[in-house]
Amino acid sequence: MRKNKKNTERFHFSQFQKLYDHFPKGDVVDDDKQERPDFLIKTDQKVIGVELTRIQANQGDINNKTAAAQSNAEQIAPEAQKFYAEMIAPSVQVSMYFHDSELVKMSVSERAKVGQRIAQLVYKYCPAPDSANHDICDDMGLNEIPSCVTNINVSRIKGLRPTLFQSPRASWVAVANAQDIYFVLNNKESSVSDYLKKCDEIWLVIILDAHQTFTWRSEISCSEKIKSNFNKIFLLSSFRNKLVEVAMC
């Protein structure tokens, strides 16, 4: 579980590194033992820590069947990623969407078969370089698509590593705002002093649409200035491949 979490963090950090025009030059520490903060950037002048986090969707209305479907969807993702890793194939980000009704009672062996099939389809219909959120289901015959699958969106962006398969589940709201950010900060501010034991500066990257359940924002800007002990705060939309830096006061 920890390895899967670290691989996901590496993907999002790689995306942040590519999107941030002023990313500092230096050595990145991202081994499996590096935690709190998740990554360190060692430059000639200082050490910068980067902590990744995400905004959780509201879980209050999730019932047992939905929870079972969600659990199976989340377990198909590493199965697909495992099979894809065995192929000589380009790095990709894959978001898979499913019919909940067909996931509720899915067995372990059925999850593995679906994961393997998705990996084969991503390999066969892998889009051209610099493609973002291309639904490969549009490129294939209906008989090729597993019955439980609704969409398979594949992004192939140069420089993004490692490959990541995920099964997002979204709720929808208008914008990312100061309230969203302060909600995250309420859980993170108390750890800043611990982070700074390992680095000279600490940055926070808030992922708005990370793997598993997320809350979709139609905009990712925040017009208000944020007060925080973090030196920099960023909002990252993994789905849109977009990054904004939050104004600080």
Side-chain angles (χ1 to χ4, degrees):
M1 182 63 72
R2 173 59 196 166
K3 184 177 180 180
N4 288 339
K5 180 175 183 291
K6 194 64 181 181
N7 284 339
T8 301
E9 289 171 349
R10 287 187 178 119
F11 177 86
H12 291 303
F13 182 82
S14 173
Q15 196 170 28
F16 167 64
Q17 185 176 15
K18 180 178 176 64
L19 291 172
Y20 186 36
D21 292 337
H22 304 293
F23 191 90
K25 294 182 179 180
D27 297 325
V28 175
V29 179
D30 71 340
D31 59 77
D32 292 337
K33 296 180 180 179
Q34 176 56 42
E35 295 184 43
R36 298 180 59 83
D38 296 312
F39 298 90
L40 296 175
I41 308 167
K42 296 185 175 180
T43 73
D44 292 338
Q45 293 79 30
K46 57 189 173 183
V47 177
I48 300 169
V50 180
E51 178 70 6
L52 304 182
T53 191
R54 61 191 178 102
I55 295 179
Q56 296 275 8
N58 186 351
Q59 300 292 305
D61 296 328
I62 292 181
N63 58 36
N64 290 338
K65 288 186 177 180
T66 303
Q70 179 176 326
S71 176
N72 279 328
E74 290 170 0
Q75 293 179 71
I76 289 171
E79 290 285 353
Q81 185 161 330
K82 178 184 70 175
F83 285 113
Y84 189 82
E86 296 172 355
M87 307 173 185
I88 301 175
S91 295
V92 291
Q93 180 190 14
V94 181
S95 296
M96 304 168 292
Y97 301 88
F98 301 95
H99 295 290
D100 279 5
S101 60
E102 298 205 24
L103 292 181
V104 174
K105 296 183 178 180
M106 184 173 283
S107 67
V108 174
S109 61
E110 288 172 331
R111 288 199 305 258
K113 289 179 181 178
V114 171
Q116 183 177 26
R117 183 58 182 154
I118 289 173
Q120 291 169 342
L121 291 172
V122 171
Y123 178 78
K124 181 178 180 180
Y125 293 101
C126 189
D130 292 324
S131 299
N133 300 314
H134 177 72
D135 185 1
I136 62 171
C137 292
D138 293 338
D139 303 329
M140 63 184 77
L142 291 177
N143 62 331
E144 293 185 89
I145 307 171
S147 61
C148 62
V149 173
T150 61
N151 304 84
I152 305 173
N153 291 349
V154 181
S155 294
R156 184 180 171 189
I157 308 297
K158 184 178 180 181
L160 286 185
R161 294 178 181 277
T163 283
L164 178 66
F165 281 67
Q166 55 188 350
S167 54
R169 305 174 67 84
S171 61
W172 307 84
V173 297
V175 296
N177 54 38
Q179 183 179 355
D180 293 324
I181 296 171
Y182 280 121
F183 180 82
V184 172
L185 290 176
N186 283 339
N187 297 317
K188 288 292 182 179
E189 287 285 348
S190 61
S191 299
V192 168
S193 58
D194 288 336
Y195 298 150
L196 290 174
K197 292 176 182 178
K198 296 183 180 180
C199 54
D200 304 299
E201 282 188 20
I202 182 67
W203 298 355
L204 181 66
V205 179
I206 301 173
I207 306 163
L208 300 181
D209 45 13
H211 71 302
Q212 299 179 2
T213 303
F214 67 84
T215 302
W216 177 269
R217 268 86 177 155
S218 60
E219 298 177 20
I220 67 168
S221 60
C222 179
S223 59
E224 300 177 50
K225 290 187 176 182
I226 300 297
K227 184 177 181 180
S228 172
N229 290 317
F230 284 92
N231 298 98
K232 291 181 182 291
I233 298 175
F234 301 88
L235 300 177
L236 171 64
S237 171
S238 181
F239 188 80
R240 289 192 187 91
N241 197 43
K242 184 176 180 181
L243 179 78
V244 297
E245 184 173 353
V246 175
M248 309 283 287
C249 60

Short mmCIF file of all heavy atoms in Angstrom, two decimals, residues 64-104:
data_model
loop_
_atom_site.label_atom_id
_atom_site.label_comp_id
_atom_site.label_asym_id
_atom_site.label_seq_id
_atom_site.Cartn_x
_atom_site.Cartn_y
_atom_site.Cartn_z
N ASN A 64 -23.34 1.52 1.11
CA ASN A 64 -22.53 0.30 1.10
C ASN A 64 -22.22 -0.18 -0.31
O ASN A 64 -21.10 -0.61 -0.60
CB ASN A 64 -23.24 -0.80 1.89
CG ASN A 64 -23.25 -0.53 3.38
OD1 ASN A 64 -22.42 0.22 3.87
ND2 ASN A 64 -24.19 -1.13 4.09
N LYS A 65 -23.22 -0.12 -1.21
CA LYS A 65 -22.99 -0.58 -2.57
C LYS A 65 -22.00 0.32 -3.30
O LYS A 65 -21.13 -0.15 -4.02
CB LYS A 65 -24.32 -0.65 -3.34
CG LYS A 65 -25.22 -1.79 -2.91
CD LYS A 65 -26.45 -1.88 -3.80
CE LYS A 65 -27.31 -3.07 -3.40
NZ LYS A 65 -28.52 -3.17 -4.26
N THR A 66 -22.15 1.62 -3.10
CA THR A 66 -21.21 2.56 -3.72
C THR A 66 -19.81 2.35 -3.17
O THR A 66 -18.83 2.39 -3.92
CB THR A 66 -21.67 4.00 -3.47
OG1 THR A 66 -22.99 4.19 -3.98
CG2 THR A 66 -20.73 4.99 -4.15
N ALA A 67 -19.72 2.12 -1.87
CA ALA A 67 -18.41 1.89 -1.26
C ALA A 67 -17.77 0.62 -1.81
O ALA A 67 -16.56 0.58 -2.06
CB ALA A 67 -18.55 1.79 0.26
N ALA A 68 -18.57 -0.44 -2.01
CA ALA A 68 -18.04 -1.69 -2.56
C ALA A 68 -17.56 -1.49 -3.99
O ALA A 68 -16.48 -1.98 -4.38
CB ALA A 68 -19.12 -2.77 -2.51
N ALA A 69 -18.35 -0.76 -4.78
CA ALA A 69 -17.95 -0.48 -6.16
C ALA A 69 -16.68 0.35 -6.19
O ALA A 69 -15.77 0.10 -6.98
CB ALA A 69 -19.08 0.25 -6.89
N GLN A 70 -16.60 1.35 -5.32
CA GLN A 70 -15.42 2.19 -5.25
C GLN A 70 -14.19 1.39 -4.88
O GLN A 70 -13.11 1.55 -5.45
CB GLN A 70 -15.64 3.32 -4.24
CG GLN A 70 -14.45 4.24 -4.08
CD GLN A 70 -14.76 5.40 -3.14
OE1 GLN A 70 -15.89 5.89 -3.11
NE2 GLN A 70 -13.79 5.84 -2.38
N SER A 71 -14.34 0.50 -3.91
CA SER A 71 -13.22 -0.33 -3.47
C SER A 71 -12.71 -1.21 -4.61
O SER A 71 -11.50 -1.32 -4.83
CB SER A 71 -13.66 -1.21 -2.29
OG SER A 71 -12.62 -2.09 -1.91
N ASN A 72 -13.62 -1.83 -5.36
CA ASN A 72 -13.20 -2.67 -6.48
C ASN A 72 -12.54 -1.86 -7.58
O ASN A 72 -11.55 -2.29 -8.17
CB ASN A 72 -14.41 -3.43 -7.03
CG ASN A 72 -14.73 -4.67 -6.21
OD1 ASN A 72 -13.84 -5.30 -5.65
ND2 ASN A 72 -16.01 -5.01 -6.13
N ALA A 73 -13.09 -0.67 -7.86
CA ALA A 73 -12.48 0.19 -8.88
C ALA A 73 -11.06 0.56 -8.50
O ALA A 73 -10.15 0.56 -9.33
CB ALA A 73 -13.33 1.45 -9.07
N GLU A 74 -10.86 0.88 -7.23
CA GLU A 74 -9.53 1.29 -6.77
C GLU A 74 -8.55 0.12 -6.80
O GLU A 74 -7.33 0.33 -6.91
CB GLU A 74 -9.63 1.86 -5.36
CG GLU A 74 -10.34 3.22 -5.33
CD GLU A 74 -10.67 3.69 -3.93
OE1 GLU A 74 -10.34 2.96 -2.96
OE2 GLU A 74 -11.25 4.78 -3.79
N GLN A 75 -9.06 -1.12 -6.73
CA GLN A 75 -8.17 -2.29 -6.78
C GLN A 75 -7.90 -2.75 -8.20
O GLN A 75 -6.92 -3.46 -8.45
CB GLN A 75 -8.77 -3.42 -5.95
CG GLN A 75 -8.79 -3.10 -4.45
CD GLN A 75 -9.39 -4.20 -3.61
OE1 GLN A 75 -8.81 -5.27 -3.44
NE2 GLN A 75 -10.59 -3.95 -3.10
N ILE A 76 -8.75 -2.36 -9.15
CA ILE A 76 -8.48 -2.66 -10.55
C ILE A 76 -7.29 -1.84 -11.04
O ILE A 76 -6.47 -2.32 -11.84
CB ILE A 76 -9.72 -2.38 -11.42
CG1 ILE A 76 -10.81 -3.42 -11.13
CG2 ILE A 76 -9.37 -2.39 -12.91
CD1 ILE A 76 -12.14 -3.10 -11.78
N ALA A 77 -7.18 -0.60 -10.56
CA ALA A 77 -6.11 0.30 -11.03
C ALA A 77 -4.72 -0.29 -10.87
O ALA A 77 -3.94 -0.33 -11.84
CB ALA A 77 -6.22 1.65 -10.33
N PRO A 78 -4.31 -0.77 -9.66
CA PRO A 78 -2.96 -1.35 -9.55
C PRO A 78 -2.80 -2.64 -10.35
O PRO A 78 -1.68 -2.97 -10.78
CB PRO A 78 -2.81 -1.60 -8.04
CG PRO A 78 -4.19 -1.60 -7.49
CD PRO A 78 -4.97 -0.67 -8.35
N GLU A 79 -3.91 -3.39 -10.55
CA GLU A 79 -3.82 -4.59 -11.39
C GLU A 79 -3.47 -4.19 -12.82
O GLU A 79 -2.57 -4.78 -13.45
CB GLU A 79 -5.17 -5.33 -11.38
CG GLU A 79 -5.51 -6.00 -10.06
CD GLU A 79 -4.71 -7.27 -9.82
OE1 GLU A 79 -3.99 -7.72 -10.73
OE2 GLU A 79 -4.80 -7.80 -8.69
N ALA A 80 -4.16 -3.17 -13.35
CA ALA A 80 -3.87 -2.71 -14.70
C ALA A 80 -2.45 -2.16 -14.81
O ALA A 80 -1.73 -2.42 -15.79
CB ALA A 80 -4.89 -1.63 -15.10
N GLN A 81 -2.04 -1.40 -13.80
CA GLN A 81 -0.70 -0.82 -13.81
C GLN A 81 0.37 -1.91 -13.78
O GLN A 81 1.40 -1.80 -14.45
CB GLN A 81 -0.54 0.13 -12.63
CG GLN A 81 0.80 0.86 -12.64
CD GLN A 81 0.77 2.11 -11.78
OE1 GLN A 81 -0.27 2.76 -11.62
NE2 GLN A 81 1.89 2.46 -11.21
N LYS A 82 0.11 -2.97 -13.01
CA LYS A 82 1.08 -4.07 -12.93
C LYS A 82 1.25 -4.73 -14.29
O LYS A 82 2.39 -4.98 -14.72
CB LYS A 82 0.58 -5.10 -11.91
CG LYS A 82 1.47 -6.33 -11.77
CD LYS A 82 0.86 -7.34 -10.82
CE LYS A 82 -0.38 -7.99 -11.43
NZ LYS A 82 -0.93 -9.07 -10.56
N PHE A 83 0.15 -5.02 -14.98
CA PHE A 83 0.24 -5.66 -16.29
C PHE A 83 0.89 -4.72 -17.31
O PHE A 83 1.68 -5.17 -18.16
CB PHE A 83 -1.15 -6.08 -16.77
CG PHE A 83 -1.69 -7.30 -16.08
CD1 PHE A 83 -2.80 -7.21 -15.25
CD2 PHE A 83 -1.09 -8.54 -16.24
CE1 PHE A 83 -3.30 -8.33 -14.60
CE2 PHE A 83 -1.58 -9.67 -15.59
CZ PHE A 83 -2.70 -9.57 -14.77
N TYR A 84 0.57 -3.43 -17.25
CA TYR A 84 1.15 -2.47 -18.19
C TYR A 84 2.66 -2.35 -17.99
O TYR A 84 3.41 -2.20 -18.95
CB TYR A 84 0.48 -1.11 -18.02
CG TYR A 84 0.85 -0.10 -19.09
CD1 TYR A 84 0.21 -0.11 -20.33
CD2 TYR A 84 1.83 0.86 -18.87
CE1 TYR A 84 0.54 0.80 -21.32
CE2 TYR A 84 2.17 1.78 -19.84
CZ TYR A 84 1.52 1.75 -21.07
OH TYR A 84 1.87 2.66 -22.04
N ALA A 85 3.10 -2.45 -16.73
CA ALA A 85 4.52 -2.33 -16.43
C ALA A 85 5.33 -3.47 -17.04
O ALA A 85 6.55 -3.33 -17.24
CB ALA A 85 4.73 -2.28 -14.92
N GLU A 86 4.68 -4.57 -17.33
CA GLU A 86 5.37 -5.71 -17.91
C GLU A 86 5.59 -5.54 -19.41
O GLU A 86 6.30 -6.33 -20.04
CB GLU A 86 4.58 -6.99 -17.64
CG GLU A 86 4.49 -7.34 -16.15
CD GLU A 86 3.54 -8.49 -15.86
OE1 GLU A 86 2.89 -8.96 -16.83
OE2 GLU A 86 3.44 -8.91 -14.70
N MET A 87 4.97 -4.53 -20.00
CA MET A 87 5.12 -4.26 -21.43
C MET A 87 6.18 -3.19 -21.65
O MET A 87 6.46 -2.38 -20.79
CB MET A 87 3.78 -3.78 -22.01
CG MET A 87 2.60 -4.69 -21.72
SD MET A 87 1.03 -3.95 -22.27
CE MET A 87 -0.14 -5.17 -21.65
N ILE A 88 6.77 -3.19 -22.82
CA ILE A 88 7.67 -2.10 -23.21
C ILE A 88 6.80 -1.02 -23.81
O ILE A 88 6.43 -1.06 -24.99
CB ILE A 88 8.73 -2.59 -24.21
CG1 ILE A 88 9.55 -3.73 -23.61
CG2 ILE A 88 9.65 -1.44 -24.62
CD1 ILE A 88 10.55 -4.36 -24.57
N ALA A 89 6.43 -0.05 -22.99
CA ALA A 89 5.43 0.92 -23.39
C ALA A 89 5.76 2.28 -22.81
O ALA A 89 6.46 2.39 -21.80
CB ALA A 89 4.05 0.46 -22.90
N PRO A 90 5.26 3.36 -23.41
CA PRO A 90 5.54 4.72 -22.92
C PRO A 90 4.85 5.00 -21.60
O PRO A 90 3.85 4.36 -21.24
CB PRO A 90 4.99 5.61 -24.04
CG PRO A 90 3.96 4.79 -24.72
CD PRO A 90 4.45 3.38 -24.66
N SER A 91 5.38 5.98 -20.87
CA SER A 91 4.75 6.42 -19.62
C SER A 91 3.45 7.14 -19.93
O SER A 91 3.39 7.98 -20.82
CB SER A 91 5.69 7.36 -18.85
OG SER A 91 6.86 6.66 -18.46
N VAL A 92 2.43 6.81 -19.18
CA VAL A 92 1.11 7.39 -19.39
C VAL A 92 0.42 7.63 -18.05
O VAL A 92 0.79 7.05 -17.03
CB VAL A 92 0.21 6.48 -20.26
CG1 VAL A 92 0.71 6.40 -21.69
CG2 VAL A 92 0.11 5.08 -19.65
N GLN A 93 -0.58 8.48 -18.08
CA GLN A 93 -1.52 8.61 -16.97
C GLN A 93 -2.87 8.13 -17.47
O GLN A 93 -3.37 8.61 -18.48
CB GLN A 93 -1.65 10.05 -16.48
CG GLN A 93 -2.63 10.17 -15.31
CD GLN A 93 -2.95 11.62 -14.96
OE1 GLN A 93 -2.66 12.51 -15.74
NE2 GLN A 93 -3.55 11.84 -13.81
N VAL A 94 -3.45 7.17 -16.76
CA VAL A 94 -4.70 6.56 -17.19
C VAL A 94 -5.76 6.73 -16.11
O VAL A 94 -5.55 6.38 -14.95
CB VAL A 94 -4.51 5.05 -17.49
CG1 VAL A 94 -5.82 4.44 -17.97
CG2 VAL A 94 -3.41 4.84 -18.52
N SER A 95 -6.89 7.30 -16.50
CA SER A 95 -8.04 7.43 -15.61
C SER A 95 -9.15 6.54 -16.14
O SER A 95 -9.59 6.69 -17.28
CB SER A 95 -8.52 8.88 -15.53
OG SER A 95 -7.53 9.70 -14.95
N MET A 96 -9.60 5.59 -15.29
CA MET A 96 -10.61 4.61 -15.70
C MET A 96 -11.92 4.90 -14.99
O MET A 96 -11.93 5.17 -13.78
CB MET A 96 -10.13 3.21 -15.35
CG MET A 96 -8.78 2.86 -15.95
SD MET A 96 -8.10 1.34 -15.22
CE MET A 96 -7.77 1.91 -13.54
N TYR A 97 -13.03 4.81 -15.73
CA TYR A 97 -14.35 5.06 -15.17
C TYR A 97 -15.23 3.84 -15.42
O TYR A 97 -15.17 3.23 -16.50
CB TYR A 97 -14.96 6.32 -15.79
CG TYR A 97 -14.11 7.55 -15.55
CD1 TYR A 97 -13.08 7.89 -16.43
CD2 TYR A 97 -14.30 8.34 -14.43
CE1 TYR A 97 -12.29 9.01 -16.21
CE2 TYR A 97 -13.51 9.46 -14.20
CZ TYR A 97 -12.51 9.79 -15.09
OH TYR A 97 -11.71 10.89 -14.86
N PHE A 98 -16.08 3.50 -14.43
CA PHE A 98 -16.80 2.24 -14.47
C PHE A 98 -18.30 2.41 -14.20
O PHE A 98 -18.74 3.40 -13.63
CB PHE A 98 -16.24 1.29 -13.40
CG PHE A 98 -14.78 0.98 -13.56
CD1 PHE A 98 -13.82 1.72 -12.87
CD2 PHE A 98 -14.35 -0.05 -14.37
CE1 PHE A 98 -12.47 1.43 -12.99
CE2 PHE A 98 -13.01 -0.35 -14.52
CZ PHE A 98 -12.06 0.40 -13.83
N HIS A 99 -19.06 1.38 -14.59
CA HIS A 99 -20.45 1.23 -14.18
C HIS A 99 -20.45 0.62 -12.77
O HIS A 99 -20.04 -0.53 -12.59
CB HIS A 99 -21.21 0.30 -15.14
CG HIS A 99 -21.35 0.81 -16.53
ND1 HIS A 99 -22.17 1.88 -16.84
CD2 HIS A 99 -20.78 0.40 -17.70
CE1 HIS A 99 -22.11 2.10 -18.16
NE2 HIS A 99 -21.28 1.22 -18.69
N ASP A 100 -20.92 1.35 -11.79
CA ASP A 100 -20.92 0.85 -10.42
C ASP A 100 -21.65 -0.48 -10.28
O ASP A 100 -21.23 -1.36 -9.52
CB ASP A 100 -21.55 1.88 -9.47
CG ASP A 100 -20.59 2.98 -9.07
OD1 ASP A 100 -19.46 3.00 -9.61
OD2 ASP A 100 -20.96 3.83 -8.24
N SER A 101 -22.76 -0.64 -11.00
CA SER A 101 -23.59 -1.83 -10.85
C SER A 101 -22.84 -3.12 -11.18
O SER A 101 -23.16 -4.19 -10.65
CB SER A 101 -24.84 -1.72 -11.73
OG SER A 101 -24.47 -1.60 -13.09
N GLU A 102 -21.82 -3.02 -12.05
CA GLU A 102 -21.08 -4.20 -12.44
C GLU A 102 -19.85 -4.43 -11.58
O GLU A 102 -19.15 -5.43 -11.73
CB GLU A 102 -20.67 -4.10 -13.91
CG GLU A 102 -21.85 -4.02 -14.85
CD GLU A 102 -21.50 -4.51 -16.25
OE1 GLU A 102 -20.55 -5.30 -16.39
OE2 GLU A 102 -22.20 -4.10 -17.19
N LEU A 103 -19.58 -3.50 -10.67
CA LEU A 103 -18.40 -3.62 -9.81
C LEU A 103 -18.74 -4.15 -8.42
O LEU A 103 -17.86 -4.66 -7.73
CB LEU A 103 -17.71 -2.26 -9.65
CG LEU A 103 -17.04 -1.65 -10.87
CD1 LEU A 103 -16.40 -0.32 -10.49
CD2 LEU A 103 -16.00 -2.58 -11.46
N VAL A 104 -20.00 -4.05 -8.02
CA VAL A 104 -20.37 -4.31 -6.63
C VAL A 104 -19.95 -5.70 -6.16
O VAL A 104 -19.38 -5.86 -5.07
CB VAL A 104 -21.89 -4.12 -6.42
CG1 VAL A 104 -22.30 -4.54 -5.02
CG2 VAL A 104 -22.26 -2.66 -6.66
#
